[in-house]
Amino acid sequence: MADLSTNFVGIKSPNPFWLASAPPTDKEYNVRRAFDAGWGGVVWKTLGLDPHVVNVNGPRYGVIHGADRRVLGINNIELITDRPLDVNLREIKQVVRDYPDRAMVVSLMVPCEEEPWKMILPLVEDTGAHGVELNFGCPHGMSERGMGSAVGQVPEYIEMVTRWVKQNTRMPVIVKLTPNITDVRKPAEAAKRGGADAVSLINTINSITSVDLDLFAPEPTIDGKGAHGGYCGPAVKPIALNMVAEIARDPELAGLPISGIGGITTWRDAAEFMALGAGSVQVCTAAMTYGFKIVQEMVSGLSQYLDERGMVMDDLIGRAVPNVTDWKHLNLNYVTKARIDQDLCIKCGRCYAACEDTSHQAIAMNPGRVFEVKDDECVACNLCLDVCPVENCITMEELAPGTVDPRTGKVVEAERADWTTHPHNPNAVAAE
Amino acid sequence: MKTTIWSEGIHPGRLPEAQLAENFGDLHPPLDAHEAMVAADRCYFCYDAPCVTACPTAIDIPLFIRQISTGTPEAAARTIFEQNIFGGMCARVCPTETLCEESCVRETAEGRPVEIGRLQRYATDTLMAANAHPFSRAASTGKRVAVVGAGPAGLSCAHRLAMLGHEVALFDAAAKPGGLNEYGIATYKTPNGFARAEVDWLMGIGGIELQTSETVDASRLSQLRETYDAVFLGIGLGHVNALTLGDIERPGVEDAVAFIARLRQSDPSSVEIGRDVIVVGGGMTAVDAAVQAKRLGALNVTLAYRGPRDRMKASRYEQDLAAQDGVNLLTDVAPVELHGSPLEAVSFAQPTGDIVTIPADQLLLAIGQVLAPIEAPALEDGRIAIGETGRTSMGHVWAGGDCTNRGENLTVTAVAQGRDAAMDIHASLMEHANG
């Protein structure tokens, strides 16, 4: 078993799998169950000032289903904790005492004034919690009151509040970022300037999951009306991965620790976030869909992966970051062609329909439903591979340097060459 | 003394009523809405899909499955019925394992095809449950067509003609319409009066006048040809083959076709069945008879076929169904002698020449059906010779279904031929009307 123990900005946990600040971490009962199931840590559901908020009394979640009602995405219009502050603090203290090896981070959201932060931070410290996470991401309800993503969308506010918090606590400070912005590096830079120890991302995405075509109202529907909610779950993972990578590869932000969040459902998802630089990961929707037990698969899966490759956690974290680049740096002399394995092909013709109708007419449908790639038309777009229902039936084969690409009639060059040196680029620089 | 499975001789009520009800209930229970969604999701929506090619009526299967998966089974049913007005019955009786499902790419990939038949039933049941007829008639053409035989071919033809605006007179020799759907298919494949309900629903198109118990002979046929603008023959195969063993008539010996028809028209608890039953034959009728004999409570049922197993016309699925029900499958045996009257045993010759004698109080013969003698259009191989669109050697006379020399003897083939003949009749009548 690989050692999965984690030290994230001084916050220690037996594994990198934390539950994100959300309904699963709303109270002692759930968190105890989570720790008993094996979660390495939790970010306690966001605390605010009393009088505590109220939630709607109708549905607060909407869903996107895949086949067989598989949950692909959930959105929610739930607010921060709707229980009194002292109740939450008392429960946190109990749990910290009873589970000393687990990470306890407390999520906070109070108005954009220094006093409330000065008031609440000592109370959290008193619980023995190991860190705080500043909720600058919640996109619904709280943002209408000038908190949550309303702060996270203004880098100056992020910097200001982060600085207040750092000045008023000894605990590590994680700033949770909203994806509802145009360039995630700006709020991350602000958090760094304010002195944040780490950022966590992504929070949920503004969304309407669906429209009820009988009521003509967004879902979830409250008495005939709906408000946008925050979208999460497997569907948002690609967006989250990109935002994590943007921060991880930015020279200004290099080294800023990242707690990765966004649709993590399996150990593999977690490993992908870690490869893009996340030192810990946070999970919510998967737990809300399947219960706390999934962490056992995450632990065994990540451990097996590391063992099979003789890696430790630090070998994984950030390992893919150097390979995330800009389009202009992609090698234009890398030429591939689709290859269809006729033994694996089940003759469904999806590759043909996709290529013929929507791409480059590079697949021939021969008698007997034999599908073959026309190398003189194939631009290697990958669509056939993407829509093929059989794993590894269609692959991409690299043309060796020196061979002729039948589509262009040009010899494949061994040297790499990209857009920066391409003759069509008005700003091209001469190749060395 | 109460009759049980052990009682010798031929008796009704060998099994308790509850057991009989279960035995003759739905062979494949319908999919519920969620099961249908899960099953539909397995379809890959193939390009130029092999399942469509394999369907004699060329139903657009990927399209109807996609319509199910998007919550519109009624639209799916319409897609089916446009090609095959007997989509409901075909969903129940088609040997899908040798047609659409055999060609499904997931059969190739995983040995487990998309459940096309059951999905088709889900869609058609949904629309038929609303008791809505999905089509309406075109404006009247003033043309009149006689359709002889109210089986799948005749009804399919009549429906399409009526839809196109023609007036149809539909004749059938039996007391009820439906042909083999009503009289010839195993009860457990189409329980709860489905065949009759389907015909009533189909007739909802309007413009079809049905006359039952109306036999059409040669003189009536020439009369019809004079009275109507066109005639379609969908008369099926009225006669059964006989064993060439001399006088075999005796108590205990019966045609399987008659046995199946009797069972279809009765409560199973009133149908007599032997303790030791032998069915001779290797087709669907033989399997249907054998399985139903077993399900009526016969203790020993033997299906005896003269050739090897792979030559049996019943599909492998049907053979397995029989084996699973406890029917003994005997192959490469030919009946040579019947013993006793009432029947006591049947002797069979093996390829080696050895004779084996099996006790039997009931013998059901399912050795094929033939066209009843008819002085009508020219025959080929004992059936009415037709062209691709059902034209016979006689002017203005079309034919389709089992009575013809084309295609397999399947409900779905009959439906396709009836439909195609209707389209050709329509083209022919309208061409004359316009010319």
Side-chain angles (χ1 to χ4, degrees), chain A residues 224-252:
Chain A
K225 307 270 186 211
H228 80 264
Y231 195 41
C232 55
V236 312
K237 184 185 127 189
I239 297 165
L241 283 176
N242 176 56
M243 289 188 165
V244 166
E246 285 299 290
I247 292 172
R249 76 189 185 94
D250 185 275
E252 298 293 312

Side-chain angles (χ1 to χ4, degrees), chain A residues 116-294:
Chain A
W117 291 99
K118 274 180 151 171
M119 185 279 290
I120 203 166
L121 285 164
L123 302 179
V124 175
E125 268 181 25
D126 183 56
T127 64
H130 310 110
V132 290
E133 184 181 81
L134 311 187
N135 181 343
F136 295 157
C138 180
H140 48 268
M142 302 312 291
S143 55
E144 297 171 12
R145 305 172 200 181
M147 292 182 270
S149 63
V151 178
Q153 287 164 340
V154 183
E156 291 76 9
Y157 291 170
I158 294 174
E159 182 179 345
M160 175 179 73
V161 177
T162 306
R163 185 165 291 122
W164 289 338
V165 174
K166 281 303 290 181
Q167 283 165 352
N168 286 289
T169 183
R170 56 171 171 74
M171 292 182 288
V173 175
I174 304 167
V175 173
K176 187 164 178 178
L177 303 178
T178 176
N180 300 305
I181 39 80
T182 46
D183 183 349
V184 77
R185 292 172 301 183
K186 301 301 172 196
E189 284 162 7
K192 191 181 177 191
R193 281 195 303 273
D197 296 282
V199 290
S200 58
L201 69 160
I202 59 172
N203 206 311
T204 55
I205 303 173
N206 287 340
S207 61
I208 290 173
T209 46
S210 55
V211 176
D212 186 313
L213 289 177
D214 295 313
L215 297 174
F216 299 100
E219 302 220 33
T221 309
I222 309 283
D223 192 26
K225 307 270 186 211
H228 80 264
Y231 195 41
C232 55
V236 312
K237 184 185 127 189
I239 297 165
L241 283 176
N242 176 56
M243 289 188 165
V244 166
E246 285 299 290
I247 292 172
R249 76 189 185 94
D250 185 275
E252 298 293 312
L253 294 167
L256 181 65
I258 300 169
S259 185
I261 314 169
I264 295 167
T265 308
T266 67
W267 72 266
R268 191 176 289 276
D269 298 328
E272 290 175 26
F273 273 87
M274 295 171 83
L276 287 178
S280 80
V281 293
Q282 299 184 30
V283 176
C284 173
T285 310
M288 289 178 70
T289 306
Y290 303 108
F292 289 144
K293 192 177 172 157
I294 53 166

